[in-house]
Amino acid sequence: MPRSKIRDRLAGGWRLAGYEVTAGGKTERPLGDDPRGAILYTPDGYMSAQLAGPGPYADDDAPDAYYIAYSGPYDVDENSETVAHHVQVSVIPSWLGTTQTRQVRFHGPDSLTLSVSERRRDGVTSTTSISWVRQPPR
């Protein structure tokens, strides 16, 4: 039986299960050990993501320290196993108009990891891994 296409497998709602950043052999959880969030992929090609730390927050005047939200159309590249989020709306101003590309890995039918590796200004490669579990239909 052929594998399902990534786009078909992404469609629907996913609950945030983990958010980790690894750099220089050290792993951090910037949104804490129990992050909250959801990512939605529509069959017609739109996505929306919201991720947050559970609080309480030390500085409510700096929400970008604990909250990420963006949305826009998306494309899937089946060959490279990536999804490209074309950001039209974002609480992170520098993301507006950008394309956020993520590596896609499924772990069974109800578990997903989106990741990206980037070289930082200090030359160290940083890998962000975001894990999701499928939201059951209501």
Side-chain angles (χ1 to χ4, degrees):
M1 177 163 61
R3 285 183 17 195
S4 298
K5 292 187 179 281
I6 291 171
R7 185 182 185 98
D8 295 337
R9 293 181 74 185
L10 284 174
W14 299 83
R15 180 180 53 80
L16 182 61
Y19 183 96
E20 295 183 344
V21 179
T22 302
K26 183 179 177 188
T27 299
E28 296 180 357
R29 292 179 179 84
L31 298 178
D33 292 330
D34 188 24
R36 313 295 165 123
I39 192 166
L40 306 172
Y41 289 98
T42 66
D44 61 345
Y46 285 86
M47 60 75 56
S48 178
Q50 296 189 47
L51 301 84
Y57 309 114
D59 186 356
D60 285 336
D61 292 330
D64 59 338
Y66 59 85
Y67 186 71
I68 302 165
Y70 67 98
S71 65
Y74 73 94
D75 295 310
V76 170
D77 184 324
E78 296 285 340
N79 292 324
S80 64
E81 297 181 324
T82 59
V83 60
H85 301 153
H86 305 288
V87 182
Q88 292 179 332
V89 176
S90 177
V91 297
I92 303 169
S94 64
W95 282 23
L96 290 171
T98 67
T99 298
Q100 300 295 314
T101 302
R102 305 291 183 254
Q103 193 71 43
V104 178
R105 294 281 181 259
F106 290 98
H107 315 280
D110 297 324
S111 181
L112 163 69
T113 300
L114 300 177
S115 61
V116 62
S117 293
E118 301 170 305
R119 182 172 291 278
R120 299 186 322 199
R121 288 185 182 155
D122 62 5
V124 174
T125 298
S126 172
T127 301
T128 301
S129 298
I130 308 168
S131 55
W132 305 91
V133 294
R134 180 149 325 261
Q135 286 286 88
R138 293 182 65 90

